[in-house]
Amino acid sequence: MNAPAPEKNMHFIREIIAEDNRTGKYGGQVVTRFPPEPNGYLHIGHAKAICLDFGMALENNGECHLRMDDTNPVKEDVEYTDSIQADVRWLGFDWGPHYYHASDYFEQMYELACGLIRDGKAYVCEVPGDEWKHYRGIPTEPGKASPFRNRSAAENLDLFQRMRAGEFPDGAKVLRAKIDMASPNLHMRDPVLYRILHTPHPHAGDKWCIYPMYDYAHPIEDALEKITHSMCTLEFEVHRPLYDWVIQNCRLFPSRQIEFARLELTYTVMSKRKLLELVQRKLVKGWDDPRLPTLGGLRRRGVPPAAIRQFCERVGITKYDSLTDVALLEHCIRDELNRTAPRAMAVLNPLRVVIENTDGLPAAVRGVNNPEDPAAGTREIPFGPELFIEREDFAETPPPKYFRLSPGKSVRLRNAGFLTCTGVDHDPAGNVVAVRGTFAPMDAPVKVKATIHWVPAHAAKPVEVRLYDRLFKVPEPDADKDVDFKSHLNPDSLHMATALAEPSLLDARPGDRFQFERIGYFAADPDSRPSAPVFNRTVTLKDSWKPA
Ligand code: ATP
Ligand code: MG
């Protein structure tokens, strides 16, 4: 059930892979991986990485592994692994049998570290963590060698084994790679490979009290899985020499790390820490709050996975950081829903219409389910002598260029015919409480300039609708480090309302998506109950995306 590929743009990673296939560097194999740390929920930024990792494998008849990058025992939680798998599947990708845990490689990582020690390429160091910065130094001047740098291989092996055996407390010793204390790249100045942490691991259990560092573990994970192209975000570019050093010095499969720019979106925060803060402080209703950029939130909001895939393709893959306009995401969502979402009618702010020529009035009319998709068919919509229309679609004294309903004027009633306003009822205070009118069938020779939606008064049912706006008021809520991003929260990001819906909408099941004609795209929420659907507005109909 792998997702169909969206329209493609050439980018530098596609070019690298095409070139490797041409030269036969990896024997024509393309093996990629998506390596989330199971310490949070996936968001739209991860979707960019997922679409790239799985996409490149799919396009090249390769495979993409899903790997829980769980080398840090402290931050991880098993609860997240399930949601990560569900989210990747929902996005439309399949890892087949290739589901892995980095922690399953701990034994091999340990053996490889012993090999580095034997080769004189790693040593046990006792310089305390907070003092190491004086040894490491600054990029423009060489650092200072650790006093433990020249221990014999035998002594190092013994100490490393005793580290594993639990003889030393947390932080007492580390294993360092012996690389180059004069390198202008600080990551190459004898980086830590292993640290002591007397903490059980959620997946590996209580077998370990030493844990490998990311920069050592990741290339080994990749190489053991024979990953050919290991894509990661730009901040790892400066770590690449260390990635390559580990691969070479452990004599492993030559996986290649390739960096690309992370996705940043306007009106959105993407940092796991900030998302967690919003959830924990109950500023949103949970990880799948439809206002969050988490995949759970987007799903609940009604965003189709195909729209996210198309969005990721449109954003493209580059080597420079940039900020993407959230309007592009909304555009991709509309584009997909326009093609796939059945139409229905619902009225948010009802005004009663009384039809006066009731002789021969149809009891029902047929509505086209999706003008973009003939296969979607038609449905029956009850009709009757009383209807509800939107209050905004009637003006007793119309302003200039107002083409909708007003006294003496006609409009088309979507799917039904024509309505001509013949009178207005007021309450004692002078407010309009109903509009009177005459009905004419679709084939009547009436000329109108507007079509409005409606629901039949006798059959329409109230449904709960949740109208979402952007979660933040400003395009870059976390741009200024000195201002709390939470101060930019939009207080009106959720507006609860009741709509009168045509009866077909009562059958909606959680996840079903609709276009409420002239109002927006909506999806039935998991809070829906039989005959009592709750709808989330996914997006409005108005597209504000302007290509640069
Ligand atoms: P952490 O700070 O916990 O490492 P992370 O966002 O990098 O946070 P990971 O679980 O390590 O989370 O991410 C898994 C993969 O998703 C990584 O390869 C990472 O580069 C990629 N990724 C994360 N955020 C984005 C983003 N905004 N755009 C593109 N890729 C991303
Ligand atoms: Mg990460």
Side-chain angles (χ1 to χ4, degrees):
M1 63 117 211
N2 265 314
E7 273 179 54
K8 288 176 205 155
N9 299 308
M10 201 55 186
H11 55 60
F12 77 97
I13 296 183
R14 283 203 169 102
E15 275 163 8
I16 289 173
I17 293 175
E19 177 67 6
D20 287 346
N21 285 342
R22 202 183 57 75
T23 61
K25 179 171 175 195
Y26 294 109
Q29 293 281 313
V30 175
V31 184
T32 61
R33 89 290 172 259
F34 174 63
E37 241 177 286
N39 64 355
Y41 289 83
L42 299 183
H43 54 56
I44 183 112
H46 293 112
K48 178 177 179 181
I50 295 169
C51 289
L52 178 66
D53 295 329
F54 281 89
M56 293 308 97
L58 271 172
E59 275 172 46
N60 291 283
N61 286 315
E63 63 194 39
C64 180
H65 301 180
L66 177 62
R67 181 202 306 147
M68 296 300 151
D69 205 348
D70 58 354
T71 50
N72 181 355
V74 186
K75 287 194 302 178
E76 275 128 30
D77 200 321
V78 237
E79 113 177 49
Y80 294 116
T81 57
D82 291 345
S83 83
I84 290 173
Q85 294 186 43
D87 286 347
V88 174
R89 281 215 180 86
W90 175 73
L91 254 194
F93 298 108
D94 185 0
W95 50 90
H98 301 290
Y99 176 75
Y100 303 108
H101 280 259
S103 56
D104 286 335
Y105 308 131
F106 280 168
E107 194 62 49
Q108 282 143 295
M109 291 173 185
Y110 177 81
E111 288 304 326
L112 288 165
C114 293
L116 289 174
I117 293 173
R118 277 185 219 102
D119 291 346
K121 288 171 178 165
Y123 62 97
V124 173
C125 179
E126 287 159 45
V127 172
D130 51 353
E131 277 176 35
W132 178 252
K133 58 178 183 293
H134 304 303
Y135 288 86
R136 193 182 50 194
I138 54 171
T140 47
E141 288 166 27
K144 199 167 73 177
S146 158
F148 306 97
R149 202 169 199 256
N150 291 318
R151 276 179 159 148
S152 71
E155 189 187 352
N156 280 318
L157 263 185
D158 175 62
L159 285 170
F160 189 48
Q161 275 154 10
R162 289 163 57 196
M163 279 168 65
R164 177 181 183 167
E167 281 189 33
F168 311 113
D170 288 6
K173 294 181 169 47
V174 293
L175 183 73
R176 290 190 183 283
K178 192 172 181 176
I179 308 182
D180 179 4
M181 288 307 292
S183 171
N185 183 341
L186 295 184
H187 297 285
M188 298 299 272
R189 294 190 182 179
D190 292 11
V192 175
L193 305 181
Y194 269 90
R195 66 209 157 125
I196 302 173
L197 261 184
H198 289 268
T199 302
H201 188 279
H203 182 72
D206 53 9
K207 279 220 301 267
W208 295 90
C209 61
I210 54 170
Y211 289 97
M213 302 302 287
Y214 178 90
D215 282 340
Y216 172 68
H218 206 82
I220 296 178
E221 296 158 23
D222 284 345
L224 291 178
E225 293 177 19
K226 295 197 161 45
I227 301 298
T228 56
H229 302 86
S230 174
M231 277 81 82
C232 63
T233 39
L234 279 185
E235 67 272 21
F236 290 101
E237 194 163 17
V238 284
H239 299 243
R240 189 181 346 124
L242 181 50
Y243 181 100
D244 292 340
W245 185 93
V246 172
I247 296 257
Q248 271 160 28
N249 289 282
C250 293
R251 300 182 201 90
L252 297 170
F253 180 87
S255 301
R256 171 171 177 192
Q257 174 180 304
I258 305 169
E259 310 85 17
F260 65 95
R262 62 172 49 239
L263 176 73
E264 298 288 352
L265 263 187
T266 57
Y267 297 95
T268 310
V269 296
M270 213 92 88
S271 128
K272 278 183 193 164
R273 184 182 60 73
K274 288 175 185 156
L275 293 173
L276 184 66
E277 197 177 334
L278 293 173
V279 174
Q280 285 180 339
R281 289 178 181 244
K282 300 199 167 23
L283 297 167
V284 293
K285 289 183 182 163
W287 277 106
D288 63 348
D289 187 296
R291 291 165 292 183
L292 289 180
T294 52
L295 295 185
L298 294 166
R299 172 168 57 231
R300 185 161 189 174
R301 188 154 175 159
V303 174
I308 298 179
R309 296 195 298 269
Q310 186 61 50
F311 168 71
C312 291
E313 189 61 39
R314 290 274 304 262
V315 168
I317 301 294
T318 65
K319 271 278 188 195
Y320 49 88
D321 284 316
S322 65
L323 185 62
T324 298
D325 188 343
V326 74
L328 174 61
L329 174 62
E330 292 162 354
H331 169 80
C332 293
I333 297 169
R334 284 185 192 99
D335 193 52
E336 177 66 23
L337 290 174
N338 179 44
R339 282 186 290 108
T340 56
R343 275 48 170 175
M345 293 192 289
V347 170
L348 278 177
N349 187 9
L351 173 63
R352 186 178 296 272
V353 170
V354 180
I355 294 175
E356 294 180 316
N357 57 335
T358 51
D359 279 356
L361 209 60
V365 296
R366 289 212 82 77
V368 173
N369 285 336
N370 187 348
E372 304 288 318
D373 176 13
T378 62
R379 70 190 181 287
E380 192 175 86
I381 310 168
F383 195 76
E386 291 201 9
L387 311 174
F388 286 111
I389 63 171
E390 296 288 350
R391 208 158 258 282
E392 294 77 18
D393 286 336
F394 174 77
E396 192 167 18
T397 29
K401 300 215 167 130
Y402 186 87
F403 298 123
R404 290 165 286 165
L405 201 61
S406 58
K409 294 283 170 26
S410 306
V411 286
R412 183 182 290 105
L413 292 174
R414 179 81 176 135
N415 297 314
F418 298 99
L419 176 68
T420 303
C421 175
T422 55
V424 186
D425 293 352
H426 298 95
D427 66 10
N431 302 306
V432 175
V433 290
V435 168
R436 299 185 169 274
T438 51
F439 176 77
M442 208 79 97
D443 54 8
V446 185
K447 284 245 180 302
V448 295
K449 283 192 169 156
T451 299
I452 65 172
H453 61 279
W454 54 275
V455 291
H458 70 287
K461 292 286 185 306
V463 296
E464 182 182 331
V465 291
R466 299 174 182 171
L467 306 173
Y468 297 100
D469 198 348
R470 288 169 182 165
L471 187 54
F472 293 97
K473 290 175 294 185
V474 298
E476 296 181 61
D478 51 6
D480 187 344
K481 302 270 170 296
D482 300 328
V483 178
D484 181 357
F485 76 101
K486 299 193 295 303
S487 69
H488 297 302
L489 280 166
N490 173 7
D492 299 318
S493 59
L494 169 59
H495 177 68
M496 309 273 266
T498 303
L500 288 173
E502 67 166 84
S504 71
L505 283 172
L506 295 186
D507 301 330
R509 309 286 287 278
D512 287 354
R513 305 181 181 99
F514 300 91
Q515 184 195 91
F516 289 3
E517 298 212 37
R518 300 180 60 236
I519 297 183
Y521 292 101
F522 286 78
D525 189 83
D527 286 348
S528 299
R529 293 291 162 260
S531 300
V534 174
F535 291 100
N536 293 316
R537 184 171 67 197
T538 314
V539 274
T540 56
L541 294 179
K542 204 164 143 254
D543 202 328
S544 58
W545 166 244
K546 289 181 198 69

